Amino acid sequence: MLPAFQPRTVRELAYTLLERHRTQGTWVQELLQAAFARGSWSPADRALATELVNGVVRRRGTLAAILAAVMPRPLAQVEPALLTLVQIGTYQLLFLDRVPGYAAVHETVELTKVLGQRRWTTFVNGVLRGITRLLTDEWCDAPAADAVPVAPGRHRRLHRAVFPDPATAPAAFVAQAYSLPEWLTVRWHARWTWSQLLSVADAINAPPVLSVRVNTRRVGVRELWERWTEAGIQAECLPDLPVLRVAQPGAIELLPGYAEGWWLPQDATAVRAALLLAPPRGGTVWDVCAAPGTKSTHLADIVGPTGTVLATDVDAERLNRVRENARRLGFDNIRTALVHEDGRDWPQGPFDAVLLDAPCSNTGVLHRRPEVRWRLRPCELEELSALQRRLLHQALERVGPGGRLVYSTCSIEPEENEQVVEGVLRQRPGVAQRAFQLYLPGFHGDGGYQSLLVVD
């Protein structure tokens, strides 16, 4: 156990949070939020700490392959706390162009002294200098066993191959070079083209982009864009959606219009779910798994002040966030209710429209939750699909004649998406699918699936 200390630099903070994540299993986003709330870290420090912590977790597989090529002993024989430190230094050398190589090595070596672990100094220095000797100054635009994928179409050449050959072992190559569990890359390689597979791998390794849904009750999309532009905030409008995508958001609560309820964070794919449901003006809508309320407020806007949205969730604390978002955005036509997952106290309905954003594996949003790729197990897909089928059956029972239901997930796995819908439809002849869409993660937004069902 290393001695506790108060982080004074960004790298000390990153090391502390990564060790807490490793030893306690706490989600890195929670650790970052708590650290920023306690300390007076500058926007630049926050950005670098976020990049280091998320990046080390996200690219753990890539780092392992690179380190295995230069380590004097197997990774399994390295003290876990020491390995965390080496990963931080290696990540900077591989992925952070803005950090000079000598600075990444020096600062990481100095951290061994801050931690009171001088016995690590020679080891860390030797490993990181081995990394610098492995790297070249050359770049290529195609995957290769001797190139590290840093960004879409941008690969850093190495002096020798460290990954499997993409031509003969494509799934294994993507698993190591793009840092994913191989069972997942095997699945994806079986059903996608090579270019699709690489596009998805690039997308889920990219830092997430902030998209916000504009509360058009209070401000127009163009007006908000103009105000942000005047404030020096770079953003772009998305065609046919009330959405702005922000280049470098910083602390979101400091962006103009947050306190006034002009917008809330919501990805473009999630915005499309409410638009697909398209509940009638003045209608009654049930948002089944509502927290944190982004879709609930969108639905409340669509049905208008004479309509009603019932937002339910199984988590009382998360349900409070629905109420907070409704108050901040000024929607008083949203009611909330805490329910049990088994459906014993679900509302009876009938409803004009129902949105079921079902619990899922989150494989479409791995870029937002870097730990998920390492925590997810193949057996969970079967367990989740059973839960999803039950929830969909129960939700459909509450839809009135002529009513609509959208089944959505943040997953890109067929067992959780089209197979769930097809299985339920076979048992419900009075329900028809009118539209569906699978979104792969990429420029347009998060990955996910949406299906519109209509009841006779």
Side-chain angles (χ1 to χ4, degrees), residues 273 276-277 295 354-361 384-393 395-396 404-411 413-422 424 433 435-437 448-453:
L276 178 62
L277 183 59
K295 296 184 181 71
V354 173
L355 175 62
L356 173 58
D357 191 21
C360 68
S361 63
L384 284 165
S385 64
L387 170 63
Q388 292 153 352
R389 287 193 299 272
R390 177 174 64 79
L391 292 175
L392 182 52
H393 274 298
L396 281 168
R404 302 157 66 87
L405 181 147
V406 162
Y407 171 80
S408 70
T409 73
C410 295
S411 169
E413 309 311 313
E415 293 94 329
E416 300 179 88
N417 296 329
E418 56 265 37
Q419 291 179 19
V420 168
V421 173
E422 291 166 1
V424 170
Q433 181 175 244
F436 68 92
Q437 182 66 53
Y449 173 84
Q450 297 165 8
S451 172
L452 172 63
L453 307 179

Side-chain angles (χ1 to χ4, degrees), residues 1 3 118 139 148 173 211 242 255 262 273 319 328 335 415:
M1 179 68 68
R118 289 182 177 270
W139 296 82
V148 180
F173 167 80
S211 294
L255 291 174
W262 292 351
L319 200 59
R328 187 170 62 83
R335 297 187 294 111
E415 293 94 329

Side-chain angles (χ1 to χ4, degrees), residues 105-218:
V105 174
H106 174 75
E107 294 297 330
T108 308
V109 170
E110 287 299 303
L111 192 47
T112 64
K113 303 169 187 176
V114 175
L115 295 169
Q117 297 293 325
R118 289 182 177 270
R119 62 190 179 89
W120 290 354
T121 303
T122 301
F123 181 87
V124 172
N125 185 64
V127 169
L128 296 185
R129 293 195 180 280
I131 298 293
T132 61
R133 289 191 294 271
L134 181 64
L135 296 173
T136 75
D137 294 328
E138 299 176 12
W139 296 82
C140 59
D141 57 7
D146 62 347
V148 180
V150 173
R154 193 163 184 260
H155 304 252
R156 179 79 174 267
R157 281 286 187 190
L158 307 173
H159 280 292
R160 57 190 174 90
V162 299
F163 303 122
D165 185 348
T168 58
F173 167 80
V174 173
Q176 292 188 34
Y178 290 85
S179 192
L180 288 160
E182 191 167 346
W183 70 265
L184 197 54
T185 63
V186 167
R187 289 172 52 86
W188 291 351
H189 181 257
R191 68 176 191 267
W192 295 337
T193 66
W194 179 240
S195 62
Q196 284 177 318
L197 177 58
L198 295 183
S199 176
V200 169
D202 277 327
I204 61 180
N205 279 334
V209 174
L210 173 65
S211 294
V212 306
R213 193 189 84 242
V214 181
N215 182 8
T216 53
R217 270 192 178 185
R218 293 186 170 175

Side-chain angles (χ1 to χ4, degrees), residues 212-216 221 238-244 271 275 298 301:
V212 306
R213 193 189 84 242
V214 181
N215 182 8
T216 53
V221 176
L238 297 193
D240 305 320
L241 290 176
V243 173
L244 291 179
V271 171
L275 297 177
H298 194 186
D301 189 18

Side-chain angles (χ1 to χ4, degrees), residues 205-278:
N205 279 334
V209 174
L210 173 65
S211 294
V212 306
R213 193 189 84 242
V214 181
N215 182 8
T216 53
R217 270 192 178 185
R218 293 186 170 175
V219 66
V221 176
R222 186 70 185 182
E223 180 185 353
L224 181 60
W225 179 84
E226 290 174 350
R227 294 203 182 198
W228 280 6
T229 301
E230 291 170 0
I233 299 164
Q234 295 182 359
E236 61 177 326
C237 304
L238 297 193
D240 305 320
L241 290 176
V243 173
L244 291 179
R245 182 179 285 131
V246 190
Q248 295 179 325
I252 63 171
E253 64 274 9
L254 300 180
L255 291 174
Y258 179 82
E260 295 84 354
W262 292 351
W263 56 270
L264 83 169
Q266 188 174 17
D267 185 77
T269 299
V271 171
R272 292 184 177 97
L275 297 177
L276 178 62
L277 183 59

Side-chain angles (χ1 to χ4, degrees), residues 264-336:
L264 83 169
Q266 188 174 17
D267 185 77
T269 299
V271 171
R272 292 184 177 97
L275 297 177
L276 178 62
L277 183 59
R281 195 78 173 169
T284 58
V285 185
W286 178 26
D287 188 358
V288 183
C289 305
T294 52
K295 296 184 181 71
S296 299
T297 55
H298 194 186
L299 293 168
D301 189 18
I302 294 173
V303 299
T306 60
T308 303
V309 174
L310 174 62
T312 60
D313 205 88
V314 298
D315 188 316
E317 184 176 344
R318 284 172 52 81
L319 200 59
N320 284 332
R321 295 180 60 190
V322 178
R323 302 185 187 101
E324 292 168 2
N325 278 321
R327 282 194 297 268
R328 187 170 62 83
L329 272 65
F331 291 101
D332 55 10
N333 57 339
I334 298 177
R335 297 187 294 111
T336 60

